[in-house]
């Protein structure tokens, strides 16, 4: 990234926040507002050993009660917060039935070997343990080329229901969030394609932030009128592992 790009990025982060503490005027706010809300509700209730699958920098650790939870993170890439590096095609170097809860958020769409990932999650989770899964449904391509699939709520339930009792299945967002997030992400990516448009984006940063705020507010309000549960951007499942 160029010096100008670094300056823009640092300024944008200071003004608009960073994951998972982005502010209302961030261009990705609509895409994550419901995800953040649900994780803030669920994660503080967990106790025991928690496995964070695809943990990255463990962005959600501040919402976990670390006095009651041992937070262990795995990922395919090494990092300062990654406790164990895994291979998605092999058995994880973790004991069977050794975790009380598993968090796997916005990961399954990037997993090349989906079957092995689900099998390993089930293997290392204790009977009666809690699985928290989130995935995008209607959302732009990201993390390419490792972006392989999308799940509906029903597809996610179908993926795990043989071995789990589904306690909560939730559509996150509505038509307002979905359309708004797609528009803002498209504009952000389009403006980053060319040098002149990147310069323009920096020049009009205050207008871009104001525009994002208007779209975010509009999307948020429109969501309240959407009762179809058919045009959501993300899916959440909370499930308990069955005996056997």
């Amino acid at each position: 990234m160029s010096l100008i790009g670094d300056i823009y990025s640092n300024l944008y982060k200071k003004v608009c926040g960073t994951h998972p503490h982005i502010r209302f005027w961030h261009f990705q706010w609509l895409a994550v507002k419901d995800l953040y809300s649900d994780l803030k509700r669920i994660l503080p209730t967990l106790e025991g050993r928690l496995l964070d699958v695809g943990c990255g920098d463990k962005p959600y650790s501040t919402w976990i009660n670390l006095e009651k939870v041992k937070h262990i993170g795995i990922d395919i890439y090494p990092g300062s917060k990654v406790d164990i590096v895994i291979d998605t095609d092999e058995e994880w170097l973790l004991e069977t039935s050794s975790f009380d809860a598993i968090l796997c958020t916005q990961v399954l769409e990037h997993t090349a070997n989906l079957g092995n990932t689900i099998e390993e999650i089930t293997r290392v989770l204790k009977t009666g343990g809690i699985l928290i899964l989130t995935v995008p449904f209607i959302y732009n391509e990201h993390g390419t080329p490792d972006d392989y699939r999308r799940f509906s709520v029903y597809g996610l339930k179908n993926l795990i229901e043989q071995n789990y009792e589904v306690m909560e299945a939730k559509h996150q967002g509505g038509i307002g969030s979905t359309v708004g997030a797609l528009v803002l992400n498209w504009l952000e990516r389009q403006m980053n394609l060319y040098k002149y448009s990147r310069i323009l984006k920096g020049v009009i940063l205050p207008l871009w932030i104001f525009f994002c705020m208007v779209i975010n507010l509009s999307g948020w309000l429109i969501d309240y009128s959407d009762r179809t549960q058919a045009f959501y951007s993300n899916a959440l499942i909370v499930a308990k592992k069955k005996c056997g």
Side-chain angles (χ1 to χ4, degrees), residues 62-119:
T62 56
W63 301 340
I64 297 169
N65 186 347
L66 295 178
E67 294 182 356
K68 296 183 178 180
V69 173
K70 183 173 177 59
H71 186 193
I72 298 170
I74 62 174
D75 209 308
I76 61 173
Y77 302 111
S80 61
K81 300 293 183 68
V82 177
D83 299 297
I84 301 171
V85 177
I86 62 166
D87 187 323
T88 56
D89 294 322
E90 298 179 1
E91 184 173 300
W92 300 347
L93 298 177
L94 299 166
E95 294 183 9
T96 299
S97 301
S98 57
F99 289 92
D100 301 285
I102 291 181
L103 172 67
C104 183
T105 176
Q106 312 304 91
V107 170
L108 295 185
E109 70 272 23
H110 300 297
T111 304
N113 193 334
L114 179 62
N116 186 68
T117 300
I118 296 298
E119 288 175 6

Side-chain angles (χ1 to χ4, degrees), residues 4-145:
I4 294 177
D6 287 337
I7 293 173
Y8 176 90
S9 178
N10 291 332
L11 177 61
Y12 192 83
K13 289 176 181 178
K14 287 182 179 180
V15 174
C16 300
T18 58
H19 171 64
H21 305 289
I22 65 175
R23 301 185 178 99
F24 179 71
W25 42 90
H26 196 290
F27 76 92
Q28 288 186 319
W29 183 80
L30 284 173
V32 295
K33 65 180 179 64
D34 295 287
L35 172 65
Y36 289 173
S37 177
D38 285 326
L39 291 181
K40 285 180 181 179
R41 168 177 57 88
I42 297 167
L43 293 181
T45 68
L46 301 178
E47 296 183 4
R49 284 168 54 85
L50 168 67
L51 181 64
D52 192 341
V53 178
C55 66
D57 293 328
K58 291 183 179 175
Y60 305 116
S61 60
T62 56
W63 301 340
I64 297 169
N65 186 347
L66 295 178
E67 294 182 356
K68 296 183 178 180
V69 173
K70 183 173 177 59
H71 186 193
I72 298 170
I74 62 174
D75 209 308
I76 61 173
Y77 302 111
S80 61
K81 300 293 183 68
V82 177
D83 299 297
I84 301 171
V85 177
I86 62 166
D87 187 323
T88 56
D89 294 322
E90 298 179 1
E91 184 173 300
W92 300 347
L93 298 177
L94 299 166
E95 294 183 9
T96 299
S97 301
S98 57
F99 289 92
D100 301 285
I102 291 181
L103 172 67
C104 183
T105 176
Q106 312 304 91
V107 170
L108 295 185
E109 70 272 23
H110 300 297
T111 304
N113 193 334
L114 179 62
N116 186 68
T117 300
I118 296 298
E119 288 175 6
E120 287 301 287
I121 285 174
T122 302
R123 181 182 67 82
V124 302
L125 184 62
K126 295 178 181 178
T127 297
I130 300 300
L131 172 62
I132 304 155
L133 282 177
T134 74
V135 291
F137 175 48
I138 303 175
Y139 190 60
N140 56 284
E141 188 177 71
H142 60 283
T144 53

